[in-house]
Amino acid sequence: MSAALAPTVPAGRFTGLLRAEAHRFLARRFLRVLLLLTLLGWAGALVIGLLAFQSPTPEALAAAQAQQQESIESSNAYRQQCVADPGRPSDVPVDEYCGEPADEQNTPVSIFLQPAPYSFVSDTDDGVVSVAAVGAALAFLVGATFVGAEWSTRSMVALLFWETRRPRVMAAKLVVTAVASALVGLLLQVLWLGMAGLLQAVAGDGLAPPGGFWSELVAGQGRGVLLTVFAGLLGFGLTNLLRNTGAATGVAFVYVVIVETAVRGLRPAWQPWLLTNNAAALVLPDGLELSWTDERVPPGGSPTGVVEYLLGHGQAAVYLTVVTAAVVGLGVLLFSRRDLH
């Protein structure tokens, strides 16, 4: 089918096209299997957590708290000696050379308990980041298989006999993919929050969340959902370019495992431009701190040659938006202009 010969008569409203794409998406067997596996994985992780964690007895908690205070006092005494040491390098920050002051936040009581209880307060960041990573991988597969199935079954060509305006067709598919990816990310974050709440209630450490805890938790989960949307659209865009799900997943695997590993080893100064680093920086509470050795010692850099770089949330979000828009936009452009068979 040639773009020049395609009629331009509208087939209906955009909302009707959206409903058709949503129905096509929800009817896919892969999505149901993925949802079932996700629920089974959640149940399995909950059982493992209940077996691995245990709430301490009052006697065990008192003994652990005594060990915690002893460890904090010992660490801070060593730090004071380090700070007062006349041989301490003056060009290295104190916290970097001697370590940060020890307190109950960075020395949780749970490390002195065997078996350890579940700590909702201490494990929140790790949980949100891990769930966001899993959600991104699943969303990539959802977006890739959605459009990949259209190309493999040639239903993409058949669809154009009903709706001839190709940008509208692609826009409807992208909206459905973005919404589905967001729902996948939201579902996983809600499931993790439910599991963490159950573990805290049954085998938790009993610590009360500090001030600002819930707002930071919601913000982190929101950034995790945003990452799943980026991943879903990238999976869709890459597969739409290559018109094959297997090829798209293969390219993604080679990029993450081989290309990024090679860049970290051969061109460490390019790390701020790696997709996985930007994905991590988007979700981590304080962004991602990168460092590499630069023998040229750039102006304003550390005299030791170590360059430190903080990849923040805003920069990561902008970079992922540009990359996603480029991949998806190129696919839409080729879809609108190339012949289909």
Side-chain angles (χ1 to χ4, degrees), residues 41-291:
W42 179 85
L46 177 60
V47 171
I48 293 174
L50 291 174
L51 295 175
F53 299 109
Q54 181 179 343
S55 293
T57 62
E59 294 79 10
L61 181 60
Q65 289 173 336
Q67 290 180 310
Q68 178 194 34
Q69 292 302 319
E70 182 179 353
S71 176
I72 292 175
E73 293 173 1
S74 175
S75 297
N76 287 333
Y78 171 78
R79 184 177 183 276
Q80 290 177 358
Q81 293 178 359
C82 177
V83 173
D85 185 358
R88 179 172 58 83
S90 59
D91 55 350
V92 180
V94 174
D95 286 349
E96 182 177 331
Y97 189 78
C98 301
E100 298 180 353
D103 55 26
E104 295 182 354
Q105 294 297 324
N106 53 33
T107 313
V109 69
S110 58
I111 64 177
F112 302 101
L113 290 168
Q114 293 296 334
Y118 178 75
S119 179
F120 182 52
V121 175
S122 301
D123 298 339
T124 295
D125 292 341
D126 292 339
V128 170
V129 173
S130 300
V131 170
V134 173
L138 295 181
F140 184 91
L141 290 176
V142 168
T145 56
F146 177 44
V147 69
E150 299 280 349
W151 287 113
S152 62
T153 60
R154 298 183 182 277
S155 59
M156 186 76 80
V157 178
L159 178 61
L160 295 179
F161 286 103
W162 175 55
E163 172 56 73
T164 60
R165 292 167 293 183
R166 299 186 183 190
R168 280 169 57 101
V169 172
M170 200 53 63
K173 293 182 181 299
L174 286 169
V175 170
V176 171
T177 302
V179 173
S181 299
L183 292 177
V184 168
L186 184 62
L187 173 64
L188 290 178
Q189 294 290 346
V190 170
L191 287 177
W192 170 81
L193 192 61
M195 180 171 62
L198 285 174
L199 290 176
Q200 181 67 19
V202 176
D205 56 4
L207 292 179
F213 172 83
W214 292 107
S215 59
E216 294 180 2
L217 171 61
V218 172
Q221 290 188 302
R223 294 193 301 272
V225 173
L226 179 60
L227 178 62
T228 62
V229 174
F230 283 131
L233 292 177
L234 277 174
F236 181 98
L238 188 58
T239 307
N240 192 42
L241 275 175
L242 302 175
R243 300 186 179 183
N244 185 286
T245 305
T249 53
V251 168
F253 178 81
V254 169
Y255 169 78
V256 172
V257 176
I258 298 179
V259 175
E260 290 207 348
T261 301
V263 168
R264 289 190 176 91
L266 301 176
R267 292 288 186 272
W270 294 0
Q271 292 185 80
W273 306 107
L274 297 180
L275 286 178
T276 55
N277 283 350
N278 281 274
L282 179 64
V283 184
L284 287 171
D286 300 318
L288 180 64
E289 294 183 1
L290 299 171
S291 64

